[in-house]
Structures are given as C-alpha cells and as structure tokens.
Short mmCIF file of all heavy atoms in Angstrom, two decimals:
data_model
loop_
_atom_site.label_atom_id
_atom_site.label_comp_id
_atom_site.label_asym_id
_atom_site.label_seq_id
_atom_site.Cartn_x
_atom_site.Cartn_y
_atom_site.Cartn_z
N THR A 16 -9.29 10.35 -1.71
CA THR A 16 -8.25 10.08 -0.72
C THR A 16 -8.14 11.26 0.23
O THR A 16 -8.04 12.40 -0.21
CB THR A 16 -6.90 9.85 -1.42
OG1 THR A 16 -7.04 8.78 -2.36
CG2 THR A 16 -5.81 9.51 -0.41
N ILE A 17 -8.15 10.97 1.54
CA ILE A 17 -7.99 12.04 2.51
C ILE A 17 -6.66 11.95 3.26
O ILE A 17 -6.25 12.91 3.89
CB ILE A 17 -9.18 12.14 3.50
CG1 ILE A 17 -9.43 10.83 4.22
CG2 ILE A 17 -10.42 12.59 2.76
CD1 ILE A 17 -10.54 10.92 5.29
N GLU A 18 -5.99 10.80 3.17
CA GLU A 18 -4.66 10.68 3.77
C GLU A 18 -3.94 9.49 3.16
O GLU A 18 -4.56 8.47 2.85
CB GLU A 18 -4.78 10.48 5.29
CG GLU A 18 -3.44 10.40 5.99
CD GLU A 18 -3.57 10.25 7.49
OE1 GLU A 18 -4.49 9.57 7.97
OE2 GLU A 18 -2.71 10.82 8.19
N LEU A 19 -2.63 9.64 2.99
CA LEU A 19 -1.81 8.50 2.60
C LEU A 19 -0.43 8.64 3.19
O LEU A 19 0.04 9.73 3.47
CB LEU A 19 -1.77 8.29 1.09
CG LEU A 19 -1.20 9.37 0.17
CD1 LEU A 19 0.32 9.36 0.12
CD2 LEU A 19 -1.74 9.14 -1.22
N LYS A 20 0.20 7.48 3.38
CA LYS A 20 1.55 7.44 3.95
C LYS A 20 2.27 6.25 3.36
O LYS A 20 1.68 5.20 3.14
CB LYS A 20 1.47 7.28 5.47
CG LYS A 20 2.82 7.17 6.15
CD LYS A 20 2.66 6.91 7.62
CE LYS A 20 3.95 6.83 8.40
NZ LYS A 20 5.19 6.76 7.74
N THR A 21 3.57 6.43 3.11
CA THR A 21 4.39 5.35 2.59
C THR A 21 5.71 5.29 3.33
O THR A 21 6.35 6.32 3.54
CB THR A 21 4.68 5.56 1.08
OG1 THR A 21 3.45 5.76 0.39
CG2 THR A 21 5.40 4.36 0.49
N ASN A 22 6.09 4.08 3.73
CA ASN A 22 7.42 3.83 4.28
C ASN A 22 8.19 3.03 3.23
O ASN A 22 7.72 1.97 2.80
CB ASN A 22 7.36 3.02 5.58
CG ASN A 22 6.77 3.82 6.71
OD1 ASN A 22 5.61 3.65 7.04
ND2 ASN A 22 7.55 4.69 7.30
N PHE A 23 9.35 3.54 2.84
CA PHE A 23 10.18 2.88 1.83
C PHE A 23 11.25 2.04 2.53
O PHE A 23 11.93 2.53 3.44
CB PHE A 23 10.81 3.91 0.90
CG PHE A 23 9.78 4.65 0.10
CD1 PHE A 23 9.27 5.86 0.54
CD2 PHE A 23 9.29 4.12 -1.08
CE1 PHE A 23 8.30 6.54 -0.19
CE2 PHE A 23 8.32 4.78 -1.82
CZ PHE A 23 7.83 6.00 -1.36
N LEU A 24 11.40 0.80 2.09
CA LEU A 24 12.33 -0.13 2.70
C LEU A 24 13.56 -0.39 1.84
O LEU A 24 14.64 -0.67 2.36
CB LEU A 24 11.62 -1.46 2.99
CG LEU A 24 10.31 -1.35 3.75
CD1 LEU A 24 9.62 -2.70 3.82
CD2 LEU A 24 10.55 -0.78 5.14
N ARG A 25 13.38 -0.37 0.53
CA ARG A 25 14.46 -0.62 -0.42
C ARG A 25 14.02 -0.12 -1.78
O ARG A 25 12.88 0.27 -1.96
CB ARG A 25 14.85 -2.09 -0.47
CG ARG A 25 13.77 -3.01 -1.01
CD ARG A 25 14.19 -4.48 -1.12
NE ARG A 25 15.00 -4.99 -0.06
CZ ARG A 25 14.54 -5.50 1.09
NH1 ARG A 25 13.24 -5.56 1.30
NH2 ARG A 25 15.36 -5.94 2.01
N THR A 26 14.91 -0.19 -2.73
CA THR A 26 14.58 0.20 -4.09
C THR A 26 14.99 -0.89 -5.06
O THR A 26 15.61 -1.88 -4.67
CB THR A 26 15.22 1.56 -4.48
OG1 THR A 26 14.63 2.03 -5.69
CG2 THR A 26 16.73 1.44 -4.64
N THR A 27 14.64 -0.72 -6.29
CA THR A 27 15.08 -1.57 -7.39
C THR A 27 15.10 -0.70 -8.63
O THR A 27 14.46 0.35 -8.66
CB THR A 27 14.15 -2.80 -7.56
OG1 THR A 27 14.73 -3.72 -8.48
CG2 THR A 27 12.77 -2.41 -8.04
N LEU A 28 15.83 -1.13 -9.63
CA LEU A 28 15.97 -0.30 -10.83
C LEU A 28 15.37 -0.94 -12.07
O LEU A 28 15.21 -0.27 -13.09
CB LEU A 28 17.45 0.02 -11.07
CG LEU A 28 18.14 0.79 -9.96
CD1 LEU A 28 19.61 0.97 -10.28
CD2 LEU A 28 17.47 2.12 -9.71
N ALA A 29 15.06 -2.22 -12.00
CA ALA A 29 14.56 -2.90 -13.20
C ALA A 29 13.67 -4.06 -12.79
O ALA A 29 13.61 -4.44 -11.62
CB ALA A 29 15.74 -3.41 -14.03
N GLY A 30 12.96 -4.59 -13.76
CA GLY A 30 12.08 -5.73 -13.51
C GLY A 30 10.65 -5.28 -13.27
O GLY A 30 10.26 -4.16 -13.57
N THR A 31 9.89 -6.18 -12.72
CA THR A 31 8.49 -5.92 -12.43
C THR A 31 8.30 -5.83 -10.93
O THR A 31 8.73 -6.71 -10.20
CB THR A 31 7.60 -7.05 -13.00
OG1 THR A 31 7.80 -7.11 -14.42
CG2 THR A 31 6.13 -6.79 -12.72
N ILE A 32 7.67 -4.75 -10.49
CA ILE A 32 7.31 -4.65 -9.08
C ILE A 32 5.83 -5.01 -8.95
O ILE A 32 5.04 -4.79 -9.87
CB ILE A 32 7.63 -3.27 -8.47
CG1 ILE A 32 6.89 -2.14 -9.17
CG2 ILE A 32 9.14 -3.03 -8.51
CD1 ILE A 32 7.09 -0.77 -8.51
N GLY A 33 5.50 -5.61 -7.83
CA GLY A 33 4.13 -6.03 -7.59
C GLY A 33 3.54 -5.36 -6.37
O GLY A 33 4.27 -4.82 -5.53
N CYS A 34 2.23 -5.40 -6.29
CA CYS A 34 1.53 -4.76 -5.17
C CYS A 34 0.35 -5.62 -4.76
O CYS A 34 -0.38 -6.14 -5.61
CB CYS A 34 1.03 -3.38 -5.60
SG CYS A 34 0.10 -2.53 -4.31
N GLU A 35 0.18 -5.76 -3.45
CA GLU A 35 -1.03 -6.38 -2.92
C GLU A 35 -1.67 -5.38 -1.97
O GLU A 35 -1.06 -4.98 -0.98
CB GLU A 35 -0.73 -7.67 -2.19
CG GLU A 35 -2.00 -8.30 -1.62
CD GLU A 35 -1.77 -9.67 -1.01
OE1 GLU A 35 -1.51 -10.60 -1.78
OE2 GLU A 35 -1.84 -9.76 0.23
N ALA A 36 -2.88 -4.97 -2.28
CA ALA A 36 -3.65 -4.02 -1.47
C ALA A 36 -4.76 -4.77 -0.76
O ALA A 36 -5.43 -5.60 -1.35
CB ALA A 36 -4.23 -2.92 -2.36
N THR A 37 -4.93 -4.45 0.53
CA THR A 37 -5.91 -5.15 1.35
C THR A 37 -6.78 -4.14 2.10
O THR A 37 -6.26 -3.19 2.70
CB THR A 37 -5.19 -6.04 2.38
OG1 THR A 37 -4.29 -6.90 1.69
CG2 THR A 37 -6.17 -6.88 3.17
N LEU A 38 -8.07 -4.38 2.06
CA LEU A 38 -9.01 -3.54 2.81
C LEU A 38 -8.89 -3.85 4.29
O LEU A 38 -9.07 -4.99 4.72
CB LEU A 38 -10.44 -3.82 2.33
CG LEU A 38 -11.56 -3.04 3.02
CD1 LEU A 38 -11.43 -1.54 2.78
CD2 LEU A 38 -12.92 -3.55 2.53
N VAL A 39 -8.56 -2.84 5.09
CA VAL A 39 -8.43 -2.98 6.54
C VAL A 39 -9.72 -2.59 7.24
O VAL A 39 -10.12 -3.22 8.21
CB VAL A 39 -7.26 -2.10 7.06
CG1 VAL A 39 -7.16 -2.15 8.56
CG2 VAL A 39 -5.95 -2.53 6.40
N HIS A 40 -10.37 -1.56 6.72
CA HIS A 40 -11.63 -1.06 7.30
C HIS A 40 -12.53 -0.61 6.16
O HIS A 40 -12.13 0.21 5.34
CB HIS A 40 -11.34 0.12 8.24
CG HIS A 40 -12.56 0.90 8.61
ND1 HIS A 40 -13.50 0.45 9.51
CD2 HIS A 40 -13.00 2.11 8.20
CE1 HIS A 40 -14.46 1.35 9.62
NE2 HIS A 40 -14.18 2.37 8.84
N GLY A 41 -13.72 -1.16 6.10
CA GLY A 41 -14.69 -0.77 5.08
C GLY A 41 -15.96 -0.26 5.73
O GLY A 41 -16.92 -1.01 5.88
N GLY A 42 -15.94 1.00 6.15
CA GLY A 42 -17.10 1.57 6.82
C GLY A 42 -18.05 2.28 5.86
O GLY A 42 -17.85 2.29 4.65
N ARG A 43 -19.07 2.90 6.43
CA ARG A 43 -20.06 3.63 5.63
C ARG A 43 -19.50 4.94 5.09
O ARG A 43 -19.91 5.41 4.05
CB ARG A 43 -21.32 3.92 6.45
CG ARG A 43 -22.15 2.70 6.76
CD ARG A 43 -23.44 3.02 7.54
NE ARG A 43 -23.15 3.71 8.80
CZ ARG A 43 -23.46 4.98 9.06
NH1 ARG A 43 -24.09 5.70 8.16
NH2 ARG A 43 -23.16 5.52 10.22
N THR A 44 -18.54 5.53 5.84
CA THR A 44 -18.02 6.84 5.43
C THR A 44 -16.54 6.83 5.08
O THR A 44 -16.06 7.76 4.43
CB THR A 44 -18.27 7.90 6.53
OG1 THR A 44 -17.64 7.46 7.74
CG2 THR A 44 -19.76 8.09 6.77
N THR A 45 -15.81 5.84 5.56
CA THR A 45 -14.38 5.76 5.24
C THR A 45 -13.97 4.32 4.95
O THR A 45 -14.62 3.36 5.38
CB THR A 45 -13.48 6.28 6.38
OG1 THR A 45 -13.72 5.51 7.55
CG2 THR A 45 -13.71 7.75 6.65
N GLN A 46 -12.87 4.21 4.21
CA GLN A 46 -12.20 2.94 3.99
C GLN A 46 -10.72 3.16 4.30
O GLN A 46 -10.18 4.23 4.00
CB GLN A 46 -12.32 2.47 2.54
CG GLN A 46 -13.71 2.13 2.09
CD GLN A 46 -13.72 1.63 0.65
OE1 GLN A 46 -12.69 1.39 0.03
NE2 GLN A 46 -14.91 1.49 0.11
N ILE A 47 -10.08 2.15 4.87
CA ILE A 47 -8.64 2.19 5.07
C ILE A 47 -8.05 0.98 4.34
O ILE A 47 -8.52 -0.14 4.51
CB ILE A 47 -8.26 2.15 6.57
CG1 ILE A 47 -8.82 3.39 7.27
CG2 ILE A 47 -6.73 2.07 6.73
CD1 ILE A 47 -8.64 3.39 8.77
N TRP A 48 -7.03 1.27 3.53
CA TRP A 48 -6.36 0.25 2.73
C TRP A 48 -4.88 0.21 3.06
O TRP A 48 -4.25 1.26 3.22
CB TRP A 48 -6.53 0.55 1.24
CG TRP A 48 -7.91 0.25 0.74
CD1 TRP A 48 -9.02 1.05 0.86
CD2 TRP A 48 -8.32 -0.93 0.08
NE1 TRP A 48 -10.10 0.41 0.30
CE2 TRP A 48 -9.70 -0.80 -0.19
CE3 TRP A 48 -7.67 -2.09 -0.33
CZ2 TRP A 48 -10.42 -1.79 -0.85
CZ3 TRP A 48 -8.39 -3.07 -0.99
CH2 TRP A 48 -9.75 -2.91 -1.24
N ASP A 49 -4.33 -0.99 3.17
CA ASP A 49 -2.89 -1.19 3.29
C ASP A 49 -2.41 -1.87 2.02
O ASP A 49 -3.11 -2.72 1.46
CB ASP A 49 -2.55 -2.11 4.47
CG ASP A 49 -2.60 -1.41 5.81
OD1 ASP A 49 -2.64 -0.16 5.85
OD2 ASP A 49 -2.59 -2.11 6.83
N ALA A 50 -1.20 -1.50 1.58
CA ALA A 50 -0.62 -2.14 0.40
C ALA A 50 0.86 -2.37 0.66
O ALA A 50 1.54 -1.55 1.29
CB ALA A 50 -0.81 -1.27 -0.84
N THR A 51 1.34 -3.49 0.15
CA THR A 51 2.77 -3.78 0.17
C THR A 51 3.23 -3.86 -1.28
O THR A 51 2.65 -4.60 -2.08
CB THR A 51 3.05 -5.12 0.88
OG1 THR A 51 2.58 -5.05 2.22
CG2 THR A 51 4.54 -5.43 0.88
N VAL A 52 4.25 -3.07 -1.60
CA VAL A 52 4.87 -3.12 -2.92
C VAL A 52 6.16 -3.92 -2.78
O VAL A 52 6.96 -3.65 -1.88
CB VAL A 52 5.16 -1.70 -3.46
CG1 VAL A 52 5.86 -1.77 -4.81
CG2 VAL A 52 3.86 -0.90 -3.57
N SER A 53 6.33 -4.90 -3.66
CA SER A 53 7.48 -5.81 -3.58
C SER A 53 8.28 -5.79 -4.88
O SER A 53 7.73 -5.55 -5.95
CB SER A 53 7.00 -7.24 -3.31
OG SER A 53 6.26 -7.29 -2.11
N ASP A 54 9.57 -6.11 -4.75
CA ASP A 54 10.42 -6.19 -5.94
C ASP A 54 10.20 -7.52 -6.65
O ASP A 54 9.39 -8.35 -6.22
CB ASP A 54 11.89 -5.95 -5.58
CG ASP A 54 12.50 -7.02 -4.69
OD1 ASP A 54 11.93 -8.12 -4.54
OD2 ASP A 54 13.60 -6.76 -4.14
N ALA A 55 10.93 -7.74 -7.72
CA ALA A 55 10.75 -8.94 -8.55
C ALA A 55 11.04 -10.23 -7.78
O ALA A 55 10.53 -11.29 -8.13
CB ALA A 55 11.63 -8.86 -9.79
N ASP A 56 11.83 -10.13 -6.71
CA ASP A 56 12.13 -11.30 -5.88
C ASP A 56 11.13 -11.49 -4.74
O ASP A 56 11.29 -12.38 -3.92
CB ASP A 56 13.54 -11.18 -5.29
CG ASP A 56 14.62 -11.21 -6.38
OD1 ASP A 56 14.43 -11.94 -7.37
OD2 ASP A 56 15.63 -10.51 -6.22
#
C-alpha cells in the first residue's frame, strides 16, 4: 500500500459490518481500490 484514505459517515456499536471492495484501476504498476463499509442495515 502506498496511499489510503477513509471518510467516515457514521458509526455503529454492535452487529455485523460489511464491506464491498471494487477494483477501480488495475494497471501494470499500480492498482486503485474503493471500498464501502456498511452497518448491519
């Protein structure tokens, strides 16, 4: 990893959180990934 950034929108204290990560750029020397972390709802 050479860089990462996260914007937090809300929190939760219990339950299961989920994540979907998506490849935005898959080059020969770099990859860029976006992920959204969601609460149980």
Side-chain angles (χ1 to χ4, degrees):
T16 304
I17 56 176
E18 182 178 36
L19 61 80
K20 178 184 182 348
T21 307
N22 291 101
F23 295 94
L24 309 173
R25 66 177 39 86
T26 193
T27 190
L28 299 177
T31 300
I32 60 175
C34 178
E35 180 174 290
T37 306
L38 179 63
V39 176
H40 166 75
R43 290 182 302 112
T44 58
T45 60
Q46 294 182 9
I47 298 174
W48 285 81
D49 282 346
T51 301
V52 177
S53 301
D54 66 15
D56 295 325

